[in-house]
Amino acid sequence: MERLLLIEDDLALGEGVRLALQSQDRSVTLCRSLAQGQAALGETAFDLLILDVNLPDGSGLELLGQLRGQVPVILLTANDLETDIVTGLELGAEDYITKPFSLAVLRARVNAQLRRGRAARPGVVETGDFSFDFDRMEYRKAGRPIDLSKTEQKLLRVLVENRGVTLSRADLVDRVWTDGAEFVEENALSVAVKRLRAKLEDDPARPQYLKTVYGIGYTWAVKP
């Protein structure tokens, strides 16, 4: 789930932007003041901040300076305030949009920024219908969340990070059960694979992704 924070004091505009950007796999939190925005930033890790420069309790540029690159920022600013644009970029904003603006243009700019953010996060893997964020422990198939146990998460990460490569059963056991246990039951891996398939595959009996390589081990298939 991608999380966006929008700080905009114009309620109608803010609601319009929120509705335009929000989707099944993206949430948008709307705040109408610097104080509300700072409180939200203290409680949640956001993937992107869309920040109005002129707010009722201060300048968004002040908050931008305080963040020091902690979260990517797109500025919203009045079209005649060129100094705000220059100052904002110098303070670390990734982009800016001048008012009035097209929601389609805003959506495109936001999507572009989020793509860059995903590319910079090595813990995120997109393969087929799946999106796996191993750092945040968030797993989705066609936009729907998947609940995985810690063992299933470890197994999935090893397989996906080596997709297209066949990993032996012994190798997988060594990589997944790393808690220092001297003995792992022989069928532990088989059980973990079966449970993972049940959660990921459309037809676990005929897996399309988590495939068995008979006599060797398992592989995460690379789709053309």
Side-chain angles (χ1 to χ4, degrees):
M1 174 69 74
E2 291 174 327
R3 299 178 178 89
L4 279 62
L5 176 60
L6 169 63
I7 306 179
E8 168 60 63
D9 64 313
D10 185 318
L11 181 58
L13 176 60
E15 283 294 336
V17 170
R18 185 183 66 81
L19 291 173
L21 296 179
Q22 193 155 284
S23 65
Q24 187 179 24
D25 57 354
R26 180 183 297 170
S27 68
V28 181
T29 300
L30 173 60
C31 296
R32 299 185 62 194
S33 68
L34 279 178
Q36 291 178 4
Q38 288 171 320
L41 287 165
E43 296 174 355
T44 305
F46 291 97
D47 298 289
L48 181 65
L49 169 58
I50 304 170
L51 178 61
D52 187 10
V53 171
N54 297 305
L55 293 162
D57 55 344
S59 169
L61 296 176
E62 297 175 7
L63 176 58
L64 177 61
Q66 295 168 9
L67 290 173
R68 298 182 181 276
Q70 295 176 30
V71 58
V73 177
I74 295 178
L75 290 177
L76 301 181
T77 179
N79 58 4
D80 60 340
L81 297 179
E82 185 175 305
T83 55
D84 285 348
I85 297 172
V86 173
T87 302
L89 293 175
E90 290 179 345
L91 287 173
E94 274 67 32
D95 201 354
Y96 69 89
I97 296 179
T98 57
K99 298 179 180 180
F101 54 82
S102 159
L103 288 176
V105 170
L106 174 62
R107 190 184 299 112
R109 296 277 190 94
V110 166
N111 290 341
Q113 185 57 49
L114 290 171
R115 283 195 300 271
R116 286 194 289 271
R118 286 193 293 268
R121 287 159 51 198
V124 178
V125 175
E126 294 187 357
T127 175
D129 292 334
F130 299 99
S131 175
F132 303 134
D133 189 335
F134 293 105
D135 293 337
R136 294 189 175 188
M137 295 182 290
E138 294 180 351
Y139 312 94
R140 308 181 77 83
K141 179 180 180 180
R144 298 186 300 274
I146 305 167
D147 185 26
L148 301 179
S149 70
K150 289 185 178 180
T151 297
E152 291 161 356
Q153 291 178 46
K154 289 181 179 180
L155 175 59
L156 177 64
R157 184 163 195 166
V158 173
L159 288 165
V160 169
E161 289 183 345
N162 294 276
R163 51 195 178 278
V165 177
T166 299
L167 300 173
S168 70
R169 291 179 60 88
D171 191 14
L172 286 168
V173 168
D174 288 342
R175 295 196 194 191
V176 174
W177 283 270
T178 56
D179 55 2
E182 295 182 3
F183 175 75
V184 177
E185 291 186 12
E186 185 176 346
N187 71 336
L189 178 60
S190 298
V191 171
V193 168
K194 182 178 180 180
R195 290 177 176 171
L196 191 56
R197 279 177 174 156
K199 295 179 179 181
L200 298 179
E201 299 281 2
D202 293 332
D203 182 359
R206 297 181 178 180
Q208 299 298 306
Y209 294 92
L210 208 175
K211 290 181 172 290
T212 299
V213 181
Y214 291 99
I216 302 177
Y218 301 95
T219 186
W220 186 273
V222 177
K223 294 295 180 180

